[in-house]
Amino acid sequence: MEESSKRSEQRKEMEKERKKGEKKRRKEEEEEEEEILIFNHKSAEKEKEDEDLSDSEDSVFSGLEDSGSDSEDDDDDDEDLKVDQNLSQQVKKEEDVQSSLKKKDEEEEVKRDEYEHDSSDEEDIRNTVGNIPMEWYKDFPHIGYDLDGKKIYKPIRNKDELDDFLDKMENPDYWRTVQDKQTGSDVVLSDEQVELVKRLQRGQFGDVNFNEYQPQVEFFTQEVMLHPVTNRPADKRSFIPSLLEKDKVSKLVHAIKMGWIKPRRDSRDDSRGRYYDLWASEDTSNLARHRMHLPAPKIPLPGHHESYNPPPEYLFTDEERALWEQQDPVDRKFPFVPRSFSSLRLVPAFPRFIHERFERCLDLYLCPRQRKMRVNVNPEDLIPKLPKPKDLQPFPTTQSLVYRGHSGLVRSISVSPSGQWLASGSDDGSVRFWEICSSRCLKTVQVGGAVKSVAWNPNPSVCLLAVALDSAVLILSPALADRQVVLSSDRLLSAPQEAEPIEGDGLVNWSDTEGEELNQGIRLKIQHPKAVQQVAWHTKGDYLASVMPDHSSHLQVLIHQVSRRRSQNPFRKNKGLVQSVSFHPIRPYFFVATQRSVRIYNLVKQDLTKKLHANSKWISSMAVHPGGDHVICGSYDCKLSWFDLDLSTKPYRMLRHHRKAVRSVAYHRLYPLFASAADDGSIIVCHGTVYNDLLQNPLIVPVKVLRGHVITHELGVLDVTFHPTQPWIFSSGADATIRLFT
């Protein structure tokens, strides 16, 4: 590379020296020519003056005086001869110099390429677009049109920045290469052209030999002439269109019209032989079957309600207008309110005009118009074959009893394991114990706060009730069972507290009650750092879980052991806002329901076993099947999700039977029943058979919708639970009542 660059530099220096020598030689020759011309010019002027003088002298002294002696005349003749000989020699020398210069120029022109410095405008324009601004075709693939009206395409320039950079590095002529906008090709500038550009940039004349200070040639004198140089009048043909051209053009036009003259056809255009009609031989009846195009639907014609002065029955009343404003724009019958005007000139501009036109354009653009082949299917075949509800009995069908006595919202209810007693907690600050068969309130305990949750201990050998209110959990012993059960309950509560502290003990305070609280049956008080929303017992009846929903803390779930009076926090990290918890009925699993998912933890291995995605916005409640392999979740977006733990982490079935938020869900311990309660005041009882065969999916059939609760403050049924042994269901509502359906 270095050797090649050195050679190229040497060549350039040699060319420069040669050009300098040629320029010097030419300059000297031009100076000699100028001197010869000036000398000739001066000598010619001298002769002219002499002639003028001789003429004038002859005219003045012609007849008056002798011109001189004979000897003087001879001398004058000799001088004239010498001058003539000198002039002829000078003319010969001048002719010889000019002929030699002409020969040299001709030899140089022969050596040089005749098209090397061709700069005439007509020759240089290689396309026929004319002298137009090239910016017109900046965004088009072509650069103009030829004589036949066909596009002249730009040359393909597929060089990217990398190619341009490599060309810049490797090509020594890159700096002098410019693009011709007229032709689109790259042109390498010569040394003379580069020098010309530099001279123009410096503000000098383009021609090197141009003398800007040369003397002015006076073509016209200051003396006014009496007569014009030529007084010939202008020809008539100079301002009349040529009749010959007109005749020739008319003949050409007639020949083109008759088809005698045809425009040149491009030899590359062989489309006549290449393309042909593929469907020319097809039958038209077959083509008709495949014409799937449908015309765009027309806008319906305006009716009376769109008139500027409609009949009075088409105008909205105040109630109709309020209803129209409350509705969604999609559900409205008309997109505007009919109005009445006395005259057409009082009608204002329609405010939704542009929006309506835009929607119409969207409909035309986005609406898929295609003829669909209709499938003739019996609608009954699409409905799954489900058993009749009367074949799935028993299930609750009618309202049997109403338990009245609370004065506030009954948020939670729980049935004793024996099925004889019912406990309820209300916002009026009381916990009531009812006899199920007679609906009689046996006992009322005032706890001094709104009760959020009550849960009866599932162990039949003890009689204890857990109550959640504010930031405390109370353990009540109602003493409603026989003596042996009451004694075993007291033994469980009076066990001594262990000395060693456990994680969570510092946050929870266990205390025995005294005085009035003890007389009412409140035996233990577990003070929590935050408000408790739910309590849930383990199946064996010794462990109790409490839920304290809080976004900012990992202290949301605590597990208490009643016999040893100790508490622990099972989670170190915040996994979301906890809504509900439940123990597995058989295995050592713990279910935690957050807003969007349900996490299943193994309490023995202390790790996450499974995460269920509910596909709902906010989970409200959760229940675990007595077999332990199925879970149902209710949510505030009116959905009920059934999970099969052996099948998938996504819902096996999504039920959308309710029209408002689902507040509570429950399974029956013995019968294949589950229920959901919602704010629409209804309880939907479903039959859910679970098979031992893993290949057979659960059978889910809605069997009954139970109604009876009155919707109060937009709240309906708040809690629902089944009887432990009978196909009965209890529900509590915002109307301060508890209802039994059997």
Side-chain angles (χ1 to χ4, degrees):
M1 289 287 287
E2 292 178 0
E3 289 178 0
S4 61
S5 60
K6 284 179 182 178
R7 285 173 188 166
S8 61
E9 287 175 3
Q10 288 173 0
R11 284 175 195 161
K12 287 178 183 177
E13 288 174 1
M14 289 167 68
E15 285 177 1
K16 284 181 181 178
E17 288 173 1
R18 184 174 58 78
K19 286 174 183 175
K20 282 181 183 177
E22 285 179 1
K23 283 182 182 178
K24 199 172 183 181
R25 184 169 53 75
R26 284 181 188 171
K27 212 168 188 179
E28 289 172 357
E29 290 171 355
E30 286 169 0
E31 286 174 357
E32 287 175 4
E33 288 174 12
E34 285 176 3
E35 287 175 0
I36 291 165
L37 290 170
I38 290 165
F39 179 79
N40 294 339
H41 186 66
K42 284 181 180 178
S43 60
E45 282 181 351
K46 224 174 191 180
E47 288 171 11
K48 204 172 185 182
E49 285 174 3
D50 293 339
E51 284 173 7
D52 292 340
L53 282 169
S54 63
D55 291 340
S56 61
E57 282 170 2
D58 289 338
S59 62
V60 174
F61 304 107
S62 57
L64 300 175
E65 235 179 64
D66 255 344
S67 57
S69 63
D70 297 331
S71 60
E72 286 176 356
D73 290 336
D74 294 336
D75 294 337
D76 291 337
D77 292 334
D78 293 337
E79 286 175 4
D80 290 338
L81 282 169
K82 286 177 184 176
V83 170
D84 290 335
Q85 286 172 0
N86 289 335
L87 276 170
S88 62
Q89 285 174 0
Q90 287 171 2
V91 170
K92 278 181 182 179
K93 279 183 183 177
E94 190 179 337
E95 286 175 356
D96 293 339
V97 169
Q98 285 178 354
S99 63
S100 65
L101 286 172
K102 276 182 184 178
K103 281 180 183 177
K104 283 180 183 176
D105 290 341
E106 285 172 2
E107 286 173 1
E108 285 180 0
E109 282 176 3
V110 168
K111 286 177 185 175
R112 265 187 255 141
D113 184 11
E114 59 180 332
Y115 297 110
E116 187 180 357
H117 300 291
D118 189 9
S119 62
S120 64
D121 292 340
E122 290 77 19
E123 295 282 343
D124 200 36
I125 298 173
R126 291 172 181 81
N127 49 29
T128 56
V129 298
N131 291 325
I132 58 168
M134 287 296 114
E135 287 82 8
W136 293 356
Y137 294 99
K138 184 172 66 175
D139 299 327
F140 293 97
H142 58 282
I143 203 169
Y145 300 89
D146 59 7
L147 291 171
D148 299 327
K150 295 186 178 179
K151 293 177 181 177
I152 300 172
Y153 286 94
K154 295 175 184 175
I156 298 168
R157 299 179 66 86
N158 53 2
K159 290 173 75 172
D160 55 4
E161 291 186 8
L162 186 60
D163 293 333
D164 191 47
F165 176 74
L166 291 174
D167 194 22
K168 187 176 182 180
M169 292 293 106
E170 294 173 359
N171 187 8
D173 293 330
Y174 176 82
W175 65 276
R176 60 167 73 201
T177 306
V178 294
Q179 185 190 356
D180 186 6
K181 289 185 179 178
Q182 194 81 16
T183 59
S185 59
D186 290 336
V187 179
V188 180
L189 299 178
S190 63
D191 292 338
E192 288 79 7
Q193 289 169 333
V194 172
E195 189 64 32
L196 173 64
V197 171
K198 287 180 179 177
R199 287 180 65 82
L200 292 175
Q201 286 177 341
R202 289 197 298 266
Q204 297 175 351
F205 287 95
D207 189 4
V208 182
N209 301 319
F210 179 75
N211 183 15
E212 52 188 313
Y213 302 111
Q214 63 185 357
Q216 184 179 0
V217 179
E218 296 286 348
F219 292 104
F220 303 100
T221 61
Q222 58 186 0
E223 298 173 0
V224 181
M225 300 174 69
L226 291 174
H227 301 290
V229 178
T230 172
N231 205 14
R232 186 171 62 83
D235 292 327
K236 187 178 181 181
R237 64 172 176 273
S238 63
F239 51 87
I240 286 179
S242 174
L243 296 174
L244 289 171
E245 286 182 5
K246 181 182 176 184
D247 190 31
K248 194 172 183 180
V249 169
S250 62
K251 283 180 181 178
L252 287 170
V253 170
H254 179 65
I256 290 170
K257 281 182 181 178
M258 297 300 290
W260 302 331
I261 298 176
K262 292 181 180 177
R264 292 186 304 243
R265 193 167 70 85
D266 193 357
S267 59
R268 293 173 294 178
D269 187 15
D270 54 349
S271 58
R272 290 184 183 178
R274 275 202 335 215
Y275 306 125
Y276 59 93
D277 188 4
L278 185 64
W279 313 109
S281 60
E282 284 287 321
D283 188 13
T284 54
S285 61
N286 288 336
L287 285 173
R289 287 193 299 109
H290 297 288
R291 291 202 186 104
M292 303 300 284
H293 176 70
L294 280 177
K298 293 183 179 178
I299 299 177
L301 295 172
H304 291 300
H305 59 278
E306 292 187 57
S307 171
Y308 74 92
N309 191 11
E313 60 266 19
Y314 286 93
L315 298 173
F316 281 178
T317 61
D318 293 340
E319 292 82 4
E320 288 174 338
R321 188 183 180 92
L323 181 65
W324 183 87
E325 287 172 351
Q326 287 175 3
Q327 286 177 329
D328 273 345
V330 183
D331 300 332
R332 290 171 181 168
K333 190 176 180 182
F334 306 127
F336 60 91
V337 179
R339 295 168 65 188
S340 179
F341 298 94
S342 58
S343 62
L344 190 60
R345 61 187 173 82
L346 297 176
V347 179
F350 184 41
R352 291 188 73 257
F353 175 72
I354 295 174
H355 189 70
E356 204 174 66
R357 293 295 92 199
F358 176 71
E359 283 183 344
R360 173 65 178 168
C361 293
L362 271 186
D363 290 343
L364 295 176
Y365 166 58
L366 295 174
C367 180
R369 292 181 294 277
Q370 194 174 10
R371 211 174 262 118
K372 295 280 184 185
M373 300 300 290
R374 188 169 182 178
V375 182
N376 293 320
V377 179
N378 188 9
E380 294 178 358
D381 296 341
L382 300 173
I383 301 171
K385 300 293 180 187
L386 294 175
K388 294 179 181 178
K390 66 179 182 180
D391 299 335
L392 302 174
Q393 288 179 343
F395 54 83
T397 55
T398 55
Q399 180 180 308
S400 299
L401 293 173
V402 181
Y403 303 83
R404 301 182 190 276
H406 285 291
S407 58
L409 278 73
V410 184
R411 291 194 179 271
S412 181
I413 53 175
S414 182
V415 185
S416 66
S418 61
Q420 189 178 357
W421 317 107
L422 174 71
S424 62
S426 172
D427 278 1
D428 58 6
S430 66
V431 176
R432 290 178 180 264
F433 296 91
W434 313 80
E435 188 180 19
I436 289 174
C437 295
S438 61
S439 74
R440 185 164 62 93
C441 182
L442 296 176
K443 193 174 184 179
T444 303
V445 179
Q446 293 294 334
V447 292
V451 180
K452 300 293 182 184
S453 176
V454 295
W456 212 291
N457 194 317
N459 190 353
S461 61
V462 294
C463 183
L464 295 175
L465 183 76
V467 179
L469 71 151
D470 297 334
S471 61
V473 174
L474 307 178
I475 307 296
L476 275 71
S477 178
L480 295 173
D482 55 3
R483 185 181 177 84
Q484 190 66 32
V485 173
V486 173
L487 286 173
S488 62
S489 303
D490 292 341
R491 260 197 312 274
L492 180 67
L493 294 175
S494 60
Q497 186 173 359
E498 291 196 357
E500 68 269 8
I502 296 176
E503 185 183 355
D505 272 354
L507 301 168
V508 177
N509 183 22
W510 292 71
S511 61
D512 291 314
T513 56
E514 297 173 352
E516 184 64 31
E517 288 182 343
L518 186 60
N519 294 335
Q520 286 185 338
I522 303 172
R523 300 295 304 277
L524 269 178
K525 189 172 185 180
I526 310 170
Q527 193 67 36
H528 289 65
K530 293 168 189 168
V532 183
Q533 290 290 332
Q534 186 215 353
V535 287
W537 286 96
H538 188 264
T539 317
K540 292 183 179 179
D542 190 17
Y543 288 94
L544 175 72
S546 58
V547 179
M548 299 171 287
D550 186 8
H551 269 297
S552 60
S553 173
H554 69 280
L555 194 71
Q556 296 191 68
V557 179
L558 290 175
I559 297 177
H560 315 283
Q561 189 176 4
V562 179
S563 60
R564 296 185 179 181
R565 294 194 184 186
R566 63 179 185 178
S567 305
Q568 59 181 342
N569 176 19
F571 306 113
R572 292 185 179 179
K573 288 185 180 178
N574 182 7
K575 298 290 185 181
L577 189 66
V578 178
Q579 300 296 314
S580 177
V581 295
S582 180
F583 288 96
H584 195 281
I586 303 164
R587 301 189 189 96
Y589 289 157
F590 189 55
F591 295 82
V592 179
T594 57
Q595 277 184 321
R596 299 274 181 122
S597 60
V598 178
R599 296 168 185 268
I600 305 171
Y601 294 93
N602 191 325
L603 296 175
V604 176
K605 295 180 181 178
Q606 297 183 358
D607 61 352
L608 179 67
T609 305
K610 199 171 285 187
K611 184 180 178 182
L612 309 176
H613 301 279
N615 293 345
S616 55
K617 292 180 181 176
W618 197 310
I619 294 174
S620 62
S621 53
M622 174 181 61
V624 183
H625 192 269
D629 291 333
H630 302 269
V631 178
I632 53 172
C633 293
S635 64
Y636 290 116
D637 52 355
C638 316
K639 296 176 188 174
L640 187 141
S641 310
W642 175 296
F643 290 96
D644 189 342
L645 301 184
D646 296 329
L647 187 66
S648 173
T649 58
K650 293 181 180 177
Y652 160 67
R653 186 72 60 84
M654 294 284 284
L655 304 178
R656 297 178 179 85
H657 298 144
H658 292 284
R659 286 176 287 124
K660 288 189 178 180
V662 177
R663 290 280 174 180
S664 179
V665 291
Y667 273 113
H668 199 287
R669 275 174 55 189
L670 301 177
Y671 291 95
L673 297 172
F674 68 95
S676 60
D679 281 341
D680 56 2
S682 65
I683 303 153
I684 295 177
V685 181
C686 299
H687 178 92
T689 304
V690 176
Y691 300 96
N692 291 327
D693 185 6
L694 293 174
L695 297 175
Q696 195 166 0
N697 292 326
L699 176 66
I700 300 171
V701 184
V703 289
K704 189 66 179 176
V705 180
L706 302 173
R707 300 183 189 278
H709 286 278
V710 180
I711 297 172
T712 308
H713 305 300
E714 296 187 358
L715 295 174
V717 185
L718 299 178
D719 197 11
V720 67
T721 185
F722 280 99
H723 192 277
T725 55
Q726 300 294 327
W728 300 346
I729 191 168
F730 299 89
S731 65
S732 64
D735 56 353
T737 62
I738 304 163
R739 297 170 191 266
L740 168 64
F741 297 91
T742 59

